[in-house]
Amino acid sequence: MIDLYRSQRAMRNMRRAALQRGVIAILDIGTSKIACLILRFDGPAELADDGVGPMAGQSTFRVIGAATTRSRGVRFGEIAVMAETERAVRTAVQAAQKMANVRVDHVIACFAGAEPRSYGLAGEIELEDGVVTEQDVARALAACDMPDLGQGREVLHAHPVNFALDHRTGLGDPRGQIGNRLATDMHLLSVDGAVVQNILHCIQRCDLELAGLASSAYVAGMGSLVEDEQELGAACIDMGGGSTGLSIFIKKHMIYSDAVRMGGDHVTSDISKGLMVPMAVAERIKTKHGGVHATGMDDREMIEVGGDSGDWEKDRRQISRTELIGIMRPRVEEILEEVRDRLEAAGFDHLPSQQVVLTGGASQIPGLDGLASRILGQRVRLGRPLRVQGLPQAATGPAFSAAVGLSLFAAHPQDEWWDFEIPTERHPARSLKRVVRWFKDNW
Amino acid sequence: MQPMSAPRRHAPTAALRRDPAPTKWAYRMQRLWLTPLFRFGFRFGLPVVLLAGTVALVLVDEGRRAAITATVDDLRTQFQNRPEFMVNLVSVEGASPELADAVRARLNLTLPLSSFDIDLVAAQARIQELDAVERADLMVRAGGILEVQVTERVPAVLWRTEFTVEMLDATGHRVASLAARGDRPDLPLIAGEGADAATPEALALISAAEPILPRLRGLVRVGERRWDLVLDRDQRILLPADRPVQALERLIALDQAQDLLGRDVLTVDLRISHRPVLRMAANALNQRRAAQGLLTSGSEL
């Protein structure tokens, strides 16, 4: 536990150093694309002409470089072939550096896979002298009983979500308040340690230093949920290429996150198998003609499938759009149903607001919102990332909500467990304080 | 109709084709190139070092250094000695013929000479060292002419010293010597040690002494402090050190009213302004005593 604490703190310090230097890179390692944004931090900007002021802190930085490249060697949001992924990361970083004309050394990365698992923890302590101090908060966090994460799993996020002080719950910052008993609720997200190690190694091999690591579902929620949705409760469903992440937010904290290991690539592969075409052709057909809701018009819209076989009959095949929808729709439904099961398991039904926001590259299928509202409930909308200064037009689509959310995360990270002080009991260097306390307690 | 040739098929290696990506070294070089310090060093530091190194290597040999110096000197001399830059003639304007000769002698140029070799400022200083020259303007004109525009000093007074007679201009600067005072009878005469330094005052006195000018013999500086006005018949007017012109004007007014200077007076002492003192000649004194009825026979005074 202490090891994790140190490594996370080291990353946090590196992030602070990067902010001091003013330039940091954002790396979204996805299954279908790798996006790299380069941010420059130069203080808050003045109000723009259209009257849009700082909303979520996105005015403190500016995107000066952006590049994306086709991902290779990544499956289900996890690195499968190290060398290929390294080449893809190098391509993206180099192009972004070229656009920004600066060299970046620090990178904050997010990834979708690694089987995230959410845990809700609770901790409770008796206060010593009636007033909550920073030490007391740290002790309360340390008092949370650690669940058994399983073999080789590591903690990625640990957010203190709520503090309660003598039956007064819902406190954001209990410091300085008076009470007897401090309780805390913490949300902990664990991931597969080997995947994290792979990403660390891959980024090191690109001569970069990792200044932060985040779950893709979490940052996609930060990037695409608007403020009231984050406050009142909403689920963000980030439909990526290889995996679909979902995160539930309430009171501006993530309280649950999970991932379904299915995404847009599976739809493509279904088309590829169903029509007997290569993946590239299937991807083109999907993006150009895809849909999930067939109408009578679609029976008449014929799509050239094409082929390279040399056989005239095979190369001149045509299918109707209805057939294509018939291939795509079951898979999309399967993904959404899986998501619904996960949301139900997380108790999303009991939240005051049932807002669902679909984002990610695969959410661009026409008619997806209609299908999703039949499966996930009525309040479904398609989310796009927040407006960020300097972001190129090409990178404002829903496929970039994780990258934009990661930028916001870099600018304004939420307090995590390791941002608080180490409690005195665990700190070997503070034994003198313990001696003093022992004397206080006994005399 | 179906074409007979089969459609062109893609190479079977298409599946093996990898996406383009920078090599590790290209990536590293780009990052290195984006490092500001390295960039500066490569763009400025390296060329400077290379250039300095080359120059140092070339110049380290004594013979090569000498050869370079000789070549440069040779080129320079060739350029400077082009006929366009040669000065063949010195024309002195605004000076009397004697002074023009003196100026030419002072210039001391062996013509023809390149205009690059003439130090005009030094030449001007040399010419202005001549007492008779108030100001000299030197200019190299087209056609190889060095024009010297001389403003001569105009003599205003003569200053008689123990051995010589000097001509001074209005500021008291020496112009030239005279063999005899009679060479310039038109100029007034001053004498005495330090008289040249007070020449403007002397000129003011002389212009104030206009009514008695025919009788004026000259001015004598006494003790480098005040002036004596010397008239014919050895009459002297002793002027005060301060405001001598006013004292002189008062005396002239007195003279015009009472013909003071026409009488047998040796000196008029105006040094104390409120008490002018007269010194009379012996005869006049005796006459005055006789008129007063005093016995004067046998007395020298």
Side-chain angles (χ1 to χ4, degrees):
Chain A
M1 215 66 262
I2 288 289
D3 269 356
L4 165 89
Y5 201 95
R6 289 210 180 111
S7 70
Q8 290 279 12
R9 281 206 140 186
M11 272 206 273
R12 192 46 69 89
N13 286 338
M14 212 173 282
R15 189 189 69 87
R16 211 164 287 142
L19 291 197
Q20 203 103 45
R21 279 179 58 177
V23 176
I24 199 165
I26 296 296
L27 202 61
D28 176 15
I29 303 175
T31 313
S32 62
K33 65 151 183 25
I34 289 184
C36 178
L37 304 182
I38 292 178
L39 311 182
R40 195 180 59 213
F41 289 85
D42 41 9
E46 57 270 9
L47 217 63
D49 289 339
D50 54 359
V52 176
M55 291 193 293
Q58 72 267 44
S59 69
T60 55
F61 61 84
R62 186 177 178 82
V63 178
I64 55 171
T68 93
T69 181
R70 197 182 78 160
S71 180
R72 46 262 199 198
V74 182
R75 296 182 65 210
F76 303 116
E78 298 159 10
I79 294 177
V81 188
M82 178 67 79
E84 286 293 307
T85 313
E86 188 198 326
R87 282 158 53 86
V89 169
R90 277 207 311 256
T91 313
V93 170
Q94 190 184 39
Q97 275 181 347
K98 197 168 182 182
M99 177 173 165
N101 207 18
V102 290
R103 174 195 163 132
V104 284
D105 291 321
H106 299 93
V107 64
I108 297 184
C110 72
F111 59 96
E115 294 172 34
R117 259 179 242 156
S118 268
Y119 299 88
L121 313 182
E124 193 177 310
I125 55 153
E126 293 289 329
L127 292 180
E128 282 160 4
D129 45 359
V131 179
V132 182
T133 61
E134 199 125 347
Q135 271 298 315
D136 292 326
V137 175
R139 281 202 302 131
L141 292 173
C144 296
D145 47 349
M146 197 65 188
D148 182 20
L149 297 176
Q151 185 68 37
R153 292 186 69 84
E154 279 187 17
V155 177
L156 185 61
H157 292 294
H159 295 135
V161 173
N162 184 29
F163 288 101
L165 193 60
D166 291 344
H167 311 297
R168 283 193 298 133
T169 187
L171 301 176
D173 184 1
R175 282 176 303 170
Q177 301 204 39
I178 293 164
N180 294 317
R181 205 170 48 79
L182 179 70
T184 179
D185 296 319
M186 192 152 72
H187 171 242
L188 187 141
L189 189 72
S190 78
V191 291
D192 196 355
V195 176
V196 174
Q197 288 301 321
N198 275 344
I199 285 175
L200 254 168
H201 189 58
C202 176
I203 283 172
Q204 269 172 7
R205 279 176 57 155
C206 294
D207 302 333
L208 298 166
E209 281 183 281
L210 196 64
L213 203 55
S215 159
S216 186
Y218 170 49
V219 292
M222 285 184 75
S224 61
L225 295 185
V226 296
E227 202 173 352
D228 57 312
E229 286 168 347
Q230 282 187 15
E231 179 72 33
L232 301 174
C236 173
I237 295 166
D238 176 24
M239 303 181 75
S243 78
T244 298
L246 59 120
S247 54
I248 301 177
F249 280 75
I250 192 164
K251 289 194 173 175
K252 297 195 173 157
H253 287 287
M254 178 175 68
I255 57 168
Y256 179 77
S257 175
D258 206 339
V260 176
R261 285 163 83 80
M262 273 186 292
D265 283 358
H266 296 84
V267 179
T268 311
S269 112
D270 284 353
I271 295 170
S272 163
K273 285 171 188 163
L275 303 179
M276 306 292 280
V277 287
M279 281 292 273
V281 177
E283 178 75 31
R284 185 175 61 78
I285 291 174
K286 181 184 83 171
T287 50
K288 212 171 170 192
H289 307 283
V292 289
H293 201 78
T295 60
M297 176 72 180
D298 294 331
D299 285 334
R300 296 191 294 277
E301 187 180 337
M302 301 307 282
I303 303 163
E304 289 274 352
V305 172
D308 245 345
S309 63
D311 178 38
W312 195 83
E313 291 294 336
K314 184 173 165 66
D315 289 357
R316 292 292 178 279
R317 276 179 304 155
Q318 284 188 331
I319 56 158
S320 69
R321 187 160 179 243
T322 311
E323 280 175 278
L324 178 66
I325 288 172
I327 295 172
M328 288 175 68
R329 182 170 173 128
R331 178 63 85 168
V332 177
E333 272 178 352
E334 186 190 357
I335 294 172
L336 290 175
E337 274 161 11
E338 188 76 21
V339 166
R340 184 190 60 194
D341 291 350
R342 302 284 170 102
L343 286 179
E344 262 172 26
F348 182 62
D349 301 346
H350 305 295
L351 283 192
S353 167
Q354 302 285 314
Q355 180 76 48
V356 174
V357 176
L358 293 172
T359 186
S363 75
Q364 298 173 86
I365 305 174
L368 181 71
D369 47 344
L371 180 63
S373 65
R374 288 171 59 177
I375 296 172
L376 298 173
Q378 283 304 312
R379 303 190 53 192
V380 172
R381 75 170 180 96
L382 296 177
R384 293 165 68 86
L386 279 174
R387 285 172 37 167
V388 169
Q389 286 188 66
L391 194 67
Q393 180 66 35
T396 53
F400 289 86
S401 50
V404 171
L406 193 56
S407 312
L408 300 177
F409 171 81
H412 290 281
Q414 280 188 320
D415 282 342
E416 305 232 19
W417 174 38
W418 33 83
D419 292 327
F420 294 91
E421 278 183 55
I422 300 179
T424 322
E425 285 84 356
R426 303 225 174 162
H427 210 294
R430 298 212 181 152
S431 45
L432 196 68
K433 251 189 177 173
R434 288 167 62 192
V435 171
V436 171
R437 182 177 300 144
W438 187 83
F439 272 93
K440 254 191 187 171
D441 292 348
N442 289 280
W443 274 294
Chain B
M1 206 176 88
Q2 178 72 13
M4 293 296 285
S5 59
R8 201 172 55 81
R9 299 175 68 174
H10 288 300
T13 53
L16 288 176
R17 194 174 59 89
R18 300 165 103 190
D19 281 341
T23 62
K24 195 153 189 133
W25 280 108
Y27 174 76
R28 281 188 181 159
M29 286 331 274
Q30 196 225 13
R31 282 171 64 77
L32 191 63
W33 181 239
L34 285 174
T35 312
L37 194 66
F38 175 82
R39 210 167 161 144
F40 179 81
F42 196 82
R43 277 194 173 164
F44 298 100
L46 195 66
V48 163
V49 165
L50 279 182
L51 212 64
T54 316
V55 168
L57 272 181
V58 169
L59 290 189
V60 80
D61 184 26
E62 178 74 36
R64 219 176 281 145
R65 223 157 44 210
I68 290 172
T69 319
T71 315
V72 170
D73 276 354
D74 191 34
L75 278 176
R76 190 175 159 150
T77 318
Q78 268 182 28
F79 180 76
Q80 289 182 352
N81 286 344
R82 290 168 74 105
E84 295 91 325
F85 303 124
M86 297 306 277
V87 170
N88 300 315
L89 191 69
V90 174
S91 90
V92 181
E93 297 191 1
S96 57
E98 306 91 64
L99 185 58
D101 288 343
V103 165
R104 284 210 182 78
R106 254 312 165 89
L107 269 179
N108 195 20
L109 299 177
T110 50
L111 299 175
L113 190 64
S114 169
S115 56
F116 286 96
D117 295 337
I118 302 175
D119 186 353
L120 287 181
V121 176
Q124 184 189 30
R126 277 211 306 276
I127 292 172
Q128 284 182 350
E129 275 173 15
L130 286 174
D131 285 326
V133 175
E134 188 180 344
R135 182 185 160 78
D137 294 315
L138 277 77
M139 198 184 299
V140 178
R141 293 253 164 177
I145 299 170
L146 177 65
E147 185 185 299
V148 185
Q149 192 82 40
V150 173
T151 312
E152 273 194 73
R153 287 187 194 282
V154 181
V157 289
L158 300 182
W159 178 36
R160 188 195 292 282
T161 57
E162 199 172 351
F163 307 108
T164 59
V165 179
E166 310 275 10
M167 286 193 284
L168 305 182
D169 71 350
T171 61
H173 196 280
R174 179 185 175 279
V175 177
S177 299
L178 271 188
R181 195 253 180 272
D183 291 347
R184 291 299 294 267
D186 53 326
L187 295 180
L189 187 71
I190 60 174
E193 207 170 320
D196 54 339
T199 308
E201 202 179 41
L203 289 172
L205 284 174
I206 288 163
S207 66
E210 182 79 45
I212 54 170
L213 209 52
R215 294 193 56 204
L216 184 67
R217 287 288 167 270
L219 290 167
V220 178
R221 189 75 172 160
V222 179
E224 298 187 34
R225 184 171 63 84
R226 59 175 200 86
W227 290 102
D228 273 3
L229 210 64
V230 180
L231 305 180
D232 59 354
R233 293 200 277 114
D234 275 348
Q235 270 184 343
R236 263 175 187 264
I237 299 168
L238 280 59
L239 294 173
D242 60 328
R243 295 157 61 110
V245 177
Q246 280 85 342
L248 182 59
E249 281 167 352
R250 272 209 307 276
L251 174 71
I252 287 169
L254 200 61
D255 176 43
Q256 284 169 347
Q258 302 191 356
D259 190 23
L260 174 67
L261 296 176
R263 302 171 191 232
D264 197 4
V265 177
L266 281 180
T267 62
V268 181
D269 189 349
L270 300 174
R271 284 177 298 182
I272 299 170
S273 63
H274 57 271
R275 198 171 70 184
V277 178
L278 295 180
R279 192 161 137 215
M280 296 194 294
N283 284 338
L285 202 59
N286 285 338
Q287 276 179 11
R288 186 168 173 270
R289 279 176 184 153
Q292 284 174 340
L294 295 174
L295 189 66
T296 58
S297 60
S299 168
E300 286 298 313
L301 284 172

